Amino acid sequence: MDIQIKRGLLDVCVLAAIKDEDSYGYQIIKDVKPYVEISESTLYPILRRLESAALLTVRTAEHNGRLRKYYHITDKGLERIEEFKAEWREILSIYQFVAGEETKHDEI
């Protein structure tokens, strides 16, 4: 898979993992892992990039005597998920054309 496409997909997966509730790195990895393989060395640069783009915010809280960073999706992050879903419909349509699948455009 093209690295830029995968990068964009991983960004949206991370946003989706925190869209319903704040989460922390290890939990995000566990939540995303059934769908796409992601490691800590991949996740943390993504989180920093998403924070820089104002798609999420970070807060630090104590948990079992240790500080833990919790990530919270912003309105801009929620908008990015919606943009992705619209883009995906277009990508799916292109895939169906390339694969030779017969479907009506209205069904997508």
Side-chain angles (χ1 to χ4, degrees), residues 32-48:
V32 171
K33 205 165 218 163
Y35 308 100
V36 62
E37 190 68 28
I38 189 169
S39 66
E40 286 183 36
S41 62
T42 301
L43 176 64
Y44 290 103
I46 290 170
L47 291 168
R48 285 190 297 274

Side-chain angles (χ1 to χ4, degrees), residues 1 5 21-22 30 34 47 89 92:
M1 176 180 292
I5 292 172
E21 65 180 326
D22 294 358
K30 283 178 42 180
L47 291 168
R89 285 188 287 276
L92 181 58

Side-chain angles (χ1 to χ4, degrees), residues 9-79:
L9 292 173
L10 288 174
D11 288 1
V12 174
C13 287
V14 169
L15 290 171
I18 63 172
K19 82 176 164 73
D20 294 327
E21 65 180 326
D22 294 358
S23 192
Y24 55 95
Y26 180 71
Q27 185 63 48
I28 293 169
I29 290 171
K30 283 178 42 180
D31 291 343
V32 171
K33 205 165 218 163
Y35 308 100
V36 62
E37 190 68 28
I38 189 169
S39 66
E40 286 183 36
S41 62
T42 301
L43 176 64
Y44 290 103
I46 290 170
L47 291 168
R48 285 190 297 274
R49 185 172 58 249
L50 294 173
E51 181 183 15
S52 294
L55 299 173
L56 59 80
T57 59
V58 182
R59 68 178 168 84
T60 303
E62 189 173 326
H63 178 77
N64 292 335
R66 297 180 60 203
L67 291 179
R68 178 183 279 173
K69 287 184 178 181
Y70 286 88
Y71 300 90
H72 175 80
I73 195 166
T74 62
D75 288 343
K76 188 175 177 183
L78 292 170
E79 289 172 15

Side-chain angles (χ1 to χ4, degrees), residues 89-106:
R89 285 188 287 276
E90 182 179 357
I91 291 168
L92 181 58
S93 178
I94 292 167
Y95 169 81
Q96 289 172 335
F97 171 73
V98 170
E101 296 179 9
E102 298 288 328
T103 61
K104 293 180 182 174
H105 188 64
D106 297 340

